[in-house]
Each structure stands twice: as structure tokens, then as C-alpha cells.
Amino acid sequence: MRRYSLLAQEPTMNEPSSGKQILKVVASIVAGGSFLLISAFIMIGTILAITLATPLAVIFSPVLVPATITAFLIIAGFLGSGGFGIAALTVLTWIYRYITGKHPLGSKQLEYARMRLAGKAHEIKGRAEQFRQEQVTGTQ
């Protein structure tokens, strides 16, 4: 039976490296170099694009800036109206389900709140009548 040590044995520098390790190192160097080369090409392309686009942006800015603002406002208007339309349809669907007695989500809380409001209104009405009676009897 083998005995396993709790301490991991570290490889020493004198041991020869296996072919797998050499292959891993070579593959990582090639991949890293490729990514570095691609990022350099992208950086050069970006610098060239900015260099070529800047004069065009300056020339066309009196047209592009208002056009961009207009496009933004149009898109925001359509998205806003669509969102409010969906919200309105959702509310109308909820109201329809509530009226037809299908008990949509939140209808129990609505009933509870309605009952509490009705109770408070009845209580305030009673206090107002009592106050009126006190005022009538106090002035006589």
C-alpha cells in the first residue's frame, strides 16, 4: 500500500520537462502573440479611422448634430409611446379581469384597501355628525 504525503512535491529544475509542458508553453506564446498582433492592428485602424473621420465630422457637424438630436428624439418618442401603450394595455387587461371576477394579481390587496377606506370614511362621517350635534347643542 502506498503512503501519500500531505506535502506536495514541487518539481525541481533538474528534472527534464515533458513534451506536454513544452507544447503548452509554445501554444500560449503563439496565442498571446497573435492576440497582441490583432490588438495592434485594431489600434492602428482606430487611429487611422479617427484621423480620416475628424475632418469630415468637422465639415458635416452643422448637419450631423441636429440630425442626431432629431433622430434621438424620434426614437425616444416611439419607445416612450410604445412603453406607455403596453402599460395601458396591461392596466386595461387587469381591470377587465377584476371586473369579470377572475381575481388578478393584487385584487385581494385592493379589496382590503377599499374596505379600510370605507371603514375610515364611515368613522369620519360619524365623528362629523357627532361634532355637528355638539355644535348645535352648544349654540342653543
Side-chain angles (χ1 to χ4, degrees):
M1 178 177 255
R2 276 189 172 172
R3 290 188 179 221
Y4 293 101
S5 172
L6 293 177
L7 299 174
Q9 294 180 355
E10 295 183 21
T12 61
M13 296 300 270
N14 295 338
E15 293 180 14
S17 298
S18 67
K20 267 187 172 177
Q21 288 177 336
I22 293 173
L23 188 60
K24 286 180 185 178
V25 169
V26 170
S28 64
I29 289 174
V30 169
S34 299
F35 288 141
L36 189 61
L37 187 65
I38 290 170
S39 69
F41 285 149
I42 291 173
M43 170 94 62
I44 290 169
T46 303
I47 291 171
L48 286 175
I50 289 173
T51 304
L52 294 175
T54 300
L56 292 174
V58 169
I59 291 170
F60 292 112
S61 65
V63 175
L64 292 177
V65 171
T68 304
I69 292 171
T70 304
F72 172 76
L73 290 175
I74 289 171
I75 291 170
F78 278 122
L79 290 176
S81 68
F84 286 123
I86 290 172
L89 285 175
T90 303
V91 168
L92 289 173
T93 303
W94 189 92
I95 290 172
Y96 173 75
R97 287 183 180 168
Y98 181 74
I99 289 172
T100 57
K102 293 182 182 173
H103 301 292
L105 187 64
S107 63
K108 290 182 182 179
Q109 290 90 348
L110 182 66
E111 288 296 322
Y112 176 71
R114 188 178 64 82
M115 295 302 287
R116 284 197 58 180
L117 282 172
K120 286 291 182 185
H122 185 69
E123 180 182 333
I124 290 172
K125 181 181 175 185
R127 285 185 185 175
E129 288 177 359
Q130 181 183 5
F131 181 73
R132 185 174 53 94
Q133 289 294 333
E134 289 175 2
Q135 292 299 320
V136 168
T137 57
T139 58
Q140 293 179 357

